[in-house]
């Protein structure tokens, strides 16, 4: 099946060379859009999204989304995605989001409404558009904030979301808040939370919540956002499990700032991950980790270049992982990552683009433990990523 899907991705991408303008397929009153991307990865040591140490085409995405406006008050939206990304994503189709939206009011100065179903998590600047390669600022988003190993957990949740948009002097204020059950079917989530693959299961709780306040000033020249929430996940042990029932509480606090000029822009986001493990048959553990990235962009006609520094820390009290190494006999460099990335994108037309980027990394905090057979073997490593992407 994976080979067939990959062939479909390549056919779609090649057909994009004949597209001159962006368009949508309309079926009755339903607008349908789609996207596809195929990437090549080559790393000199550790594995990422497949056997990248040997050169890999295993990372691809194919998605179709639809929007139906039944009336000015009632709308439906959804997206189906097929994604293969090595051990962290196996190429199976899934519903990224699917919700009904009811608009309470909508006028020139304000609008408000509610969404019910599988809603997109309001997280930072890029979570809402991270699923479409052509709208990402790079092939790989900054992993300190937008982890791809736990993509399903991050991108959407099942529940209720309310929003309000208000036009104010020289800008626009938007507030989004949700109460929803997080998705926990990511292969690496257990390893991220518990340090290893366990026989039991993680189940999201519907008392989890997330909220974001976003302010756009001067037609988006300046953007500011603050995201905060509390994500609750239960661990249900299996028979003979070495762990007892427990709860994983995750509190993200994310501050986002962006400034744009005609040819250049700069974006920075700072994320504090506060997490607590309670139960499990051992004393409660609470950890804070500070993560951030800074990215500069420069645009010339159809070309966009960027330079980024991305910094990940799992535990502020053990920033270099030395205590972790002494206690668990695992490498200290798996607890942090410093990633310098340089790259660019060529927008051939409104539909088709080519991307390339080079990563120079110290540490392995955001690598898949499953993909690297339990422990990434190298502290210093580099990676080349290239992709072709299409959208309509």
């Amino acid at each position: 099946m994976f080979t067939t899907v990959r062939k479909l991705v390549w056919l779609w991408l090649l057909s994009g060379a004949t597209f001159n303008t962006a368009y949508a397929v309309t079926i009755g009153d339903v607008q349908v859009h789609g996207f596809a991307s195929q990437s090549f990865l080559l790393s000199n040591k550790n594995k990422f999204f497949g056997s990248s140490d040997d050169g890999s085409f295993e990372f691809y995405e194919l998605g179709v989304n639809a929007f139906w406006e039944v009336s000015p008050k009632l709308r439906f939206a959804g997206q189906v995605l097929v994604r293969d990304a090595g051990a962290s994503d196996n190429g199976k189709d899934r519903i990224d989001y699917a919700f009904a939206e009811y608009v309470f009011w909508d006028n020139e100065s304000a609008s408000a409404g509610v969404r019910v179903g599988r809603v997109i998590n309001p997280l930072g600047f890029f979570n809402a558009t991270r699923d479409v390669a052509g709208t990402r600022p790079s092939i790989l988003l900054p992993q300190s904030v937008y982890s791809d190993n736990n993509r399903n957990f991050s991108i959407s949740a099942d529940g209720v979301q309310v929003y309000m948009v208000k036009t104010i002097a020289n800008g626009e204020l938007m507030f989004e808040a949700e109460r929803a059950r997080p998705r926990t079917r990511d292969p690496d989530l257990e390893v991220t939370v518990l340090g290893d693959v366990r026989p039991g299961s993680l189940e999201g709780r519907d008392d989890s919540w997330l909220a974001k306040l976003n302010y756009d000033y001067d037609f988006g020249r300046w953007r500011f956002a603050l995201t905060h929430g509390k994500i609750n996940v239960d661990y249900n042990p299996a028979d003979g499990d070495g762990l007892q029932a427990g709860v994983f509480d995750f509190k993200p606090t994310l501050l986002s700032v962006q400034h744009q000029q005609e040819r250049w822009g700069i974006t920075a986001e700072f994320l504090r991950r506060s997490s607590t493990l309670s139960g499990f048959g051992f004393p409660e553990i609470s950890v804070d980790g500070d993560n951030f990235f800074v990215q500069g962009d420069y645009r010339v006609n159809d070309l966009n270049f960027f330079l980024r520094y991305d910094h990940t820390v799992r535990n502020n009290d053990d920033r270099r992982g030395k205590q972790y190494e002494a206690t668990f006999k695992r490498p200290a460099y798996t607890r942090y990552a410093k990633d310098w990335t340089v790259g660019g994108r060529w927008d051939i037309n409104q539909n088709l683009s080519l991307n390339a980027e080079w990563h120079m990394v110290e540490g392995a905090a955001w690598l898949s433990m499953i993909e690297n057979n339990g422990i990434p073997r190298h502290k210093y490593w580099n990676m080349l990523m290239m992709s072709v992407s299409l959208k309509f």
Side-chain angles (χ1 to χ4, degrees), residues 212-288:
K212 185 179 81 168
L213 182 65
N214 187 93
Y215 177 52
D216 284 8
Y217 175 75
D218 194 15
F219 302 100
R221 189 177 297 271
W222 283 97
R223 296 179 67 200
F224 305 91
L226 176 63
T227 308
H228 183 64
K230 187 174 186 291
I231 314 301
N232 305 310
V233 177
D234 289 330
Y235 179 72
N236 300 314
D239 293 338
D241 199 328
L243 293 179
Q244 299 176 16
V247 178
F248 168 60
D249 289 332
F250 173 52
K251 297 179 182 178
T253 302
L254 176 59
L255 177 64
S256 310
V257 180
Q258 184 179 76
H259 179 59
Q260 294 284 359
Q261 291 289 336
E262 181 180 357
R263 291 203 175 273
W264 62 271
I266 187 167
T267 304
E269 294 192 275
F270 173 86
L271 171 64
R272 168 160 289 184
R273 288 189 175 99
S274 299
S275 57
T276 300
L277 294 174
S278 55
F280 298 99
F282 52 74
E284 182 175 286
I285 300 173
S286 294
V287 174
D288 292 337

Side-chain angles (χ1 to χ4, degrees), residues 147-158:
S147 170
D148 273 288
N149 285 338
N150 303 314
R151 177 188 177 279
N152 293 330
F153 183 72
S154 300
I155 195 169
S156 59
D158 299 329

Side-chain angles (χ1 to χ4, degrees), residues 11-32:
L11 271 172
W12 201 355
L13 290 169
L14 290 172
S15 71
T18 65
F19 293 169
N20 295 314
T21 58
Y23 66 93
V25 174
T26 302
I27 304 174
D29 296 327
V30 180
Q31 288 190 8
V32 179

